[in-house]
Amino acid sequence: ESSADRPAPLRLIVLLMAMSAIGPVSLNILVPATPGLAVIFDTKVETVQLTLSLYLLGLAVSQLMLGPLSDRFGRKPVLLAGLLITAVASLAAIYSTSIVTLIVWRSLQALGASSGLVIGRAIIRDLYSRDRAASMIGLVTTVMVLAPMAAPLIGGILDTAVGWESTFILTGVFAGA
């Protein structure tokens, strides 16, 4: 039995799922705080929604860049750099004093958050045969369905109980871990 056909260790699957969840979780966790952020930053809700739309743009753009970068420099360094960018941008967003600053940090957060999505799939393709890789990617991708459903609930609870900053603390710690 070749290594490409062996069952994946549970630790690897959990790690890949967690890495893939960072992007959708950090996108959706802030949604419940949107009306409150409009009041806090004395701006329109539409302006606060730029934290979501520009985050999506950042995810899209960075996915185009991260694949080639991980091919050139290796999976691990690019993945670690992306997760570091996500963690730093998440924690820096806590100190935003204007909506513009928050939008900038959210955009940077997205640039790193897509690293788990892109590089996680590349790691699977590197380790497993085509048939096995397809089933592994399917398994890991299930988190992409569950994370966007759970993140607003978690974000709402955190925003209500502790404040909007706690959503960034959670995503920063999650990416850092």
Side-chain angles (χ1 to χ4, degrees), residues 4 6 13 31 59 82 104 109 111 125-126 128-129 143 163 165:
R6 265 188 239 136
I13 293 171
V31 171
L59 273 179
V104 168
Q109 182 188 44
L111 292 177
R125 284 191 310 273
D126 290 346
Y128 297 99
S129 67
V143 78
E165 298 93 343

Side-chain angles (χ1 to χ4, degrees), residues 34-100:
T34 301
L37 288 171
V39 172
I40 290 166
F41 290 115
D42 191 28
T43 190
K44 297 177 185 171
V45 171
E46 293 82 5
T47 305
V48 176
Q49 289 173 340
L50 285 172
T51 63
L52 302 173
S53 54
L54 292 178
Y55 183 98
L56 285 170
L57 179 64
L59 273 179
V61 169
S62 63
Q63 285 184 45
L64 295 173
M65 297 182 315
L66 288 171
L69 285 173
S70 73
D71 289 340
R72 170 78 170 93
F73 299 107
R75 308 285 187 236
K76 188 174 181 179
V78 176
L79 176 63
L80 292 176
L83 294 173
L84 178 64
I85 289 168
T86 303
V88 169
S90 297
L91 297 176
I94 295 166
Y95 300 102
S96 296
T97 56
S98 71
I99 191 60
V100 172

Side-chain angles (χ1 to χ4, degrees), residues 81-148:
L83 294 173
L84 178 64
I85 289 168
T86 303
V88 169
S90 297
L91 297 176
I94 295 166
Y95 300 102
S96 296
T97 56
S98 71
I99 191 60
V100 172
T101 308
L102 183 63
I103 290 169
V104 168
W105 287 121
R106 281 283 285 174
S107 299
L108 286 171
Q109 182 188 44
L111 292 177
S114 68
S115 63
L117 298 166
V118 174
I119 298 173
R121 287 181 180 86
I123 290 169
I124 291 170
R125 284 191 310 273
D126 290 346
L127 294 176
Y128 297 99
S129 67
R130 184 175 182 196
D131 291 338
R132 184 73 180 127
S135 66
M136 288 286 298
I137 288 173
L139 179 63
V140 169
T141 304
T142 58
V143 78
M144 301 265 315
V145 173
L146 300 175

